[in-house]
Amino acid sequence: MGTLNFILKNIHTVLFLTWEHIYMVGVSLIIATLIGVPLGIMITKNENMAKKVINGANIMMTVPSIALFGLMLPVLALIGEGLGKVPAIIALILYSQLPIIRNTYVAIKNVSPSIRDAGKGMGMNRWELLKEVEIPIAIPVIVAGLRTAAVMNIGIAAIAAYVGAGGLGVYIQQGIDRVYPEMILAGALLVSILAILVDGLMALAERMLTSRGIQIQKRLSR
Amino acid sequence: MITYDHLTKIFGEGQDAVTALEDVTFTIEKGEIVIFLGPSGCGKTTTLRLTNRLESITRGTIEVNGQNIMDMNSVQLRRQMGYVIQDIGLFPNKTIAQNVAVVPKLLGWPKDKIQERVEELLSMVRLDPGIYLNRYPAELSGGQQQRVGVARGLAADPDILLMDEPFGAIDPINREQIQDEFLKLQEKLKKTIAFVSHDIHEAIKMGDKIALFEKGRLVQYERPEALLTHPKNKYVSDFVGADRALKVLGIIKVKDVYNPNTKNVVQSSDMAQTVLNAMEQKQSKFSIVLNQGKPIGYVTPKLLKYEQGPVKELVETFPLHLRERTPTRDALSFMLMYDFITLCVVDANHDFLGTVTYNDIQTKIKQSYANEIDQEGV
């Protein structure tokens, strides 16, 4: 009850922090998509590269977020951005790469060879094949990767409060410092709700972006 | 016209190199269906995939209508050729209409022309455009998908069609039907077709010529009946099977064997006793009765004995009549089934053309094999 009261009493701050949180995750997800999806597609043509890139993204995931902020701090300090939203967004971009690249790579790789062969044999060039056939078929899995990345990043963004990036993590961090359980709970609760909401929204996007033909195929093959 | 000249294809390099095709030379004439036949790994699919440059040529040349394909842009080349594959490879994200429209769209046809063409093609492969235009591949049966695959291959009206076991994924009953429909289409369209198959029956039925491959080499390139009656070596005769004489029967049509000058024919108005006398004189056991040029049945001395009046009231009817394009295999089968050694051949108007007897068929088969027996005697 105390937590709910706390949220209602501080509704303005709550909304602001929530907005900051969404902003960080949103911006990082857009940039991560612009990097990860083309990269994921590119490495389908080069097995050697694929292994290296996916391993790299894997290693990235093993670095604890706090440690990553610490490592970036002296580097970004050189351009005066050691603290705040910039390191937070960069970290989020890096963490999103694995699900995005891996899903894109797997999805494109899994397009049936006979479909690719038919397209090529009919005289589609690389770009036409990608645009007309491979990407539309891969879309559900690619969007699933984005969904994983988005939900994961909502969690990681909470920690970014420690480098002064703002967001709902501020409540958790300050709540711990001030031994203020309602504040901690409010932060945790809001982060969780946000994650669930975003997960639902991404599921909806996944359905909307998937071609009807593929939806029918999935339904019938079940 | 497609000309393969000393074509060689080697996959891999150095120690891992595998020769898939070795020094293959032959020509597919304009308007002909040529079947690339052989067991898996014999090079038939490789030859097809070299034709539209899905694989690169190691040595030799391929010319399409006199032009070396290596001098052409590969994408342009492929758009000039229809391509139909066993796994069909319809795009699941596109509707049937969009699938068929792929190549016309790549070629930049105007929208209404594409629409018109798609509907025309779907009707041609016997899929009602009203029902199927906006369906998705997943909603169609395998046979229907294969029809769409064929329609897609024909979409831009290419002169040349490359087909890689196009009917391989269909159940036997539907396959027969689609093959028949496709042959009817081909009679009208007269495309130049390279057709990969591993099925000797399909090859005999579909092919104007058969190119039989073994381990990357072209063993024999012949018309189907020549391949059956004059196999070049043991590999060919094993491949076409021990029952090749029976297979020849499937190719030889009634029109090749029937006797247009049958003697034992009488008119329906002839009197029974006159006919009986004539038959007894000639010692014939059997007369075909014509009524205004159409066969209405037959009479035997036994039927005519003690009878008066015209023979037309005494005839026994034939169970069926043959047409000129009936395969002799079917004719023979009817003879066995109905215990007849003579059957009538009629035209579309049901007018009498002549008769086929068991002997006629046997003589023709013997003729086909005559040369082979000579060769073996040497």
Side-chain angles (χ1 to χ4, degrees), chain A residues 56-72 91 94-95 156:
Chain A
N58 248 327
I59 291 168
M60 201 61 239
M61 285 292 267
T62 62
V63 180
S65 41
I66 285 284
L68 185 64
F69 290 130
L71 285 172
M72 284 194 300
L94 290 174
Y95 281 123
I156 295 173

Short mmCIF file of all heavy atoms in Angstrom, two decimals, chain A residues 56-72 91 94-95 156:
data_model
loop_
_atom_site.label_atom_id
_atom_site.label_comp_id
_atom_site.label_asym_id
_atom_site.label_seq_id
_atom_site.Cartn_x
_atom_site.Cartn_y
_atom_site.Cartn_z
N GLY A 56 31.69 -12.71 -30.67
CA GLY A 56 31.95 -11.38 -30.11
C GLY A 56 30.75 -10.89 -29.33
O GLY A 56 30.88 -10.42 -28.18
N ALA A 57 29.58 -11.03 -29.94
CA ALA A 57 28.36 -10.56 -29.28
C ALA A 57 28.09 -11.38 -28.02
O ALA A 57 27.61 -10.86 -27.00
CB ALA A 57 27.17 -10.68 -30.23
N ASN A 58 28.46 -12.66 -28.07
CA ASN A 58 28.30 -13.54 -26.91
C ASN A 58 29.16 -13.07 -25.75
O ASN A 58 28.72 -13.00 -24.60
CB ASN A 58 28.72 -14.96 -27.29
CG ASN A 58 27.54 -15.90 -27.30
OD1 ASN A 58 26.63 -15.73 -26.51
ND2 ASN A 58 27.56 -16.87 -28.20
N ILE A 59 30.43 -12.76 -26.06
CA ILE A 59 31.37 -12.31 -25.02
C ILE A 59 30.85 -11.02 -24.39
O ILE A 59 30.88 -10.84 -23.18
CB ILE A 59 32.78 -12.11 -25.63
CG1 ILE A 59 33.35 -13.49 -26.00
CG2 ILE A 59 33.68 -11.37 -24.66
CD1 ILE A 59 34.59 -13.42 -26.85
N MET A 60 30.33 -10.13 -25.25
CA MET A 60 29.76 -8.87 -24.80
C MET A 60 28.74 -9.11 -23.69
O MET A 60 28.71 -8.40 -22.68
CB MET A 60 29.08 -8.23 -26.02
CG MET A 60 28.85 -6.76 -25.94
SD MET A 60 30.38 -5.90 -25.78
CE MET A 60 30.02 -5.09 -24.24
N MET A 61 27.90 -10.16 -23.90
CA MET A 61 26.83 -10.45 -22.95
C MET A 61 27.37 -10.87 -21.59
O MET A 61 26.69 -10.73 -20.58
CB MET A 61 25.96 -11.59 -23.49
CG MET A 61 25.02 -11.21 -24.58
SD MET A 61 23.74 -10.13 -24.02
CE MET A 61 22.46 -11.31 -23.63
N THR A 62 28.59 -11.45 -21.57
CA THR A 62 29.11 -11.98 -20.30
C THR A 62 29.69 -10.88 -19.42
O THR A 62 29.94 -11.11 -18.25
CB THR A 62 30.20 -13.03 -20.55
OG1 THR A 62 31.27 -12.39 -21.23
CG2 THR A 62 29.68 -14.18 -21.38
N VAL A 63 29.94 -9.69 -20.01
CA VAL A 63 30.50 -8.60 -19.20
C VAL A 63 29.37 -8.02 -18.33
O VAL A 63 28.35 -7.61 -18.86
CB VAL A 63 31.06 -7.49 -20.11
CG1 VAL A 63 31.64 -6.35 -19.27
CG2 VAL A 63 32.09 -8.05 -21.04
N PRO A 64 29.56 -8.00 -17.01
CA PRO A 64 28.51 -7.42 -16.15
C PRO A 64 28.30 -5.95 -16.50
O PRO A 64 29.26 -5.24 -16.83
CB PRO A 64 29.08 -7.56 -14.74
CG PRO A 64 30.18 -8.55 -14.85
CD PRO A 64 30.71 -8.47 -16.24
N SER A 65 27.07 -5.48 -16.41
CA SER A 65 26.78 -4.13 -16.87
C SER A 65 27.53 -3.09 -16.05
O SER A 65 28.05 -2.11 -16.61
CB SER A 65 25.28 -3.88 -16.85
OG SER A 65 24.71 -4.44 -15.70
N ILE A 66 27.61 -3.30 -14.75
CA ILE A 66 28.32 -2.33 -13.89
C ILE A 66 29.77 -2.20 -14.37
O ILE A 66 30.32 -1.12 -14.51
CB ILE A 66 28.29 -2.80 -12.42
CG1 ILE A 66 26.90 -2.54 -11.83
CG2 ILE A 66 29.35 -2.11 -11.60
CD1 ILE A 66 26.64 -1.09 -11.49
N ALA A 67 30.39 -3.38 -14.66
CA ALA A 67 31.78 -3.39 -15.11
C ALA A 67 31.91 -2.65 -16.44
O ALA A 67 32.86 -1.91 -16.67
CB ALA A 67 32.26 -4.81 -15.27
N LEU A 68 30.92 -2.84 -17.32
CA LEU A 68 30.96 -2.19 -18.63
C LEU A 68 30.93 -0.67 -18.47
O LEU A 68 31.70 0.04 -19.12
CB LEU A 68 29.79 -2.67 -19.48
CG LEU A 68 29.77 -2.16 -20.92
CD1 LEU A 68 30.99 -2.68 -21.68
CD2 LEU A 68 28.49 -2.56 -21.64
N PHE A 69 30.05 -0.19 -17.56
CA PHE A 69 29.99 1.26 -17.34
C PHE A 69 31.35 1.75 -16.85
O PHE A 69 31.86 2.78 -17.29
CB PHE A 69 28.91 1.60 -16.30
CG PHE A 69 27.52 1.40 -16.82
CD1 PHE A 69 26.60 0.67 -16.09
CD2 PHE A 69 27.14 1.96 -18.03
CE1 PHE A 69 25.31 0.46 -16.57
CE2 PHE A 69 25.86 1.76 -18.50
CZ PHE A 69 24.94 1.02 -17.78
N GLY A 70 31.96 0.98 -15.95
CA GLY A 70 33.26 1.35 -15.41
C GLY A 70 34.31 1.41 -16.50
O GLY A 70 35.13 2.33 -16.54
N LEU A 71 34.27 0.43 -17.41
CA LEU A 71 35.27 0.38 -18.48
C LEU A 71 35.10 1.54 -19.45
O LEU A 71 36.07 2.09 -19.97
CB LEU A 71 35.13 -0.94 -19.25
CG LEU A 71 35.68 -2.18 -18.55
CD1 LEU A 71 35.30 -3.43 -19.33
CD2 LEU A 71 37.19 -2.09 -18.40
N MET A 72 33.83 1.92 -19.71
CA MET A 72 33.58 2.98 -20.70
C MET A 72 33.88 4.35 -20.14
O MET A 72 34.20 5.26 -20.89
CB MET A 72 32.12 2.91 -21.16
CG MET A 72 31.85 1.79 -22.12
SD MET A 72 30.28 1.97 -22.95
CE MET A 72 29.17 1.96 -21.57
N ALA A 91 25.89 1.15 -23.86
CA ALA A 91 25.87 -0.18 -23.23
C ALA A 91 24.64 -0.97 -23.71
O ALA A 91 24.74 -2.15 -24.06
CB ALA A 91 25.84 -0.04 -21.72
N LEU A 94 25.14 -2.30 -27.15
CA LEU A 94 26.04 -3.45 -27.17
C LEU A 94 25.34 -4.72 -26.68
O LEU A 94 25.48 -5.79 -27.28
CB LEU A 94 27.28 -3.17 -26.32
CG LEU A 94 28.23 -2.12 -26.90
CD1 LEU A 94 29.35 -1.79 -25.92
CD2 LEU A 94 28.82 -2.61 -28.22
N TYR A 95 24.57 -4.59 -25.59
CA TYR A 95 23.90 -5.77 -25.06
C TYR A 95 22.84 -6.30 -26.03
O TYR A 95 22.57 -7.49 -26.08
CB TYR A 95 23.27 -5.48 -23.70
CG TYR A 95 24.27 -5.48 -22.58
CD1 TYR A 95 24.44 -4.38 -21.77
CD2 TYR A 95 25.05 -6.61 -22.35
CE1 TYR A 95 25.37 -4.37 -20.75
CE2 TYR A 95 25.98 -6.61 -21.34
CZ TYR A 95 26.14 -5.49 -20.54
OH TYR A 95 27.08 -5.49 -19.54
N ILE A 156 18.36 -3.87 -17.85
CA ILE A 156 19.73 -3.34 -17.77
C ILE A 156 19.71 -1.82 -17.58
O ILE A 156 20.53 -1.26 -16.85
CB ILE A 156 20.53 -3.72 -19.03
CG1 ILE A 156 20.70 -5.24 -19.09
CG2 ILE A 156 21.89 -3.04 -19.02
CD1 ILE A 156 21.34 -5.73 -20.36
#
